[in-house]
Amino acid sequence: MAKGKVGKTVGSLGDYLKEQRVGARLSLRQLADQAGVSNPYLSQIERGLRKPSAEVLQQIAKALRISAEQLYIRAGILSPDDGVGGSVELAILSDTGLTERQKQSLLDVYASFLALNAADGADDATPAGAETDAEGTAPITTEIDPDSDNRVTNEG
């Protein structure tokens, strides 16, 4: 692995974590013990060399008695704009039935949908769940035929 910084958001996350840790009057070791992570790993997070998972951020936030949401925003997991899907992202991150990899995959898909919708912008006339033909004129709906489990397409 390269020894450079992982990313700008992670660097600011590390600075923020160190600031919170010092403000809470905790040593690096004390915070690592309380958060259930190793001392070297926490040090690497603070220096911007490692990007922690949402689960690790949640453990650190709990140990520091601060909002996990703030750490997610600083780590670039959540958007600072509350109107841009914050509740969906928080729901995904707090779901204990998902693995970290599954959570990240869902967040990536969700972010790509938001970006696609923002880029399209004018597709408000197309009903949810409906597709259009190549010219964008006739709505095409797709249903499942319950008797045969085959997809049935009805054109407009």
Side-chain angles (χ1 to χ4, degrees):
M1 179 175 174
K3 296 203 178 206
K5 296 216 178 220
V6 173
K8 186 177 178 183
T9 56
V10 178
S12 65
L13 168 68
D15 294 340
Y16 180 74
L17 280 176
K18 185 173 183 175
E19 180 181 297
Q20 294 301 310
R21 178 178 59 78
V22 170
R25 297 180 183 205
L26 292 172
S27 71
L28 197 62
R29 273 205 174 101
Q30 289 170 324
L31 179 57
D33 287 342
Q34 289 180 18
V37 298
S38 73
N39 186 37
Y41 182 63
L42 183 58
S43 174
Q44 289 172 346
I45 293 170
E46 282 192 0
R47 290 181 289 141
L49 300 175
R50 296 275 185 180
K51 183 174 181 178
S53 68
E55 185 177 316
V56 168
L57 288 174
Q58 192 171 27
Q59 292 170 259
I60 293 171
K62 188 175 181 181
L64 287 171
R65 298 178 188 191
I66 60 174
S67 164
E69 184 178 14
Q70 281 299 315
L71 295 184
Y72 295 153
I73 290 169
R74 298 243 180 212
I77 295 172
L78 281 182
S79 169
D81 304 326
D82 290 335
V84 185
S87 62
V88 171
E89 292 161 325
L90 285 174
I92 291 169
L93 291 169
S94 63
D95 191 324
T96 57
L98 298 173
T99 66
E100 286 302 312
R101 185 174 183 160
Q102 290 168 334
K103 290 176 186 181
Q104 190 57 56
S105 295
L106 283 172
L107 290 171
D108 290 344
V109 169
Y110 183 67
S112 71
F113 283 152
L114 290 178
L116 181 64
N117 290 346
D120 289 345
D123 272 349
D124 297 331
T126 304
E131 303 172 31
T132 58
D133 64 3
E135 296 174 3
T137 55
I140 301 170
T141 58
T142 303
E143 301 172 1
I144 302 293
D145 181 354
D147 296 327
S148 66
D149 288 336
N150 291 330
R151 294 171 70 123
V152 177
T153 302
N154 300 318
E155 295 192 26

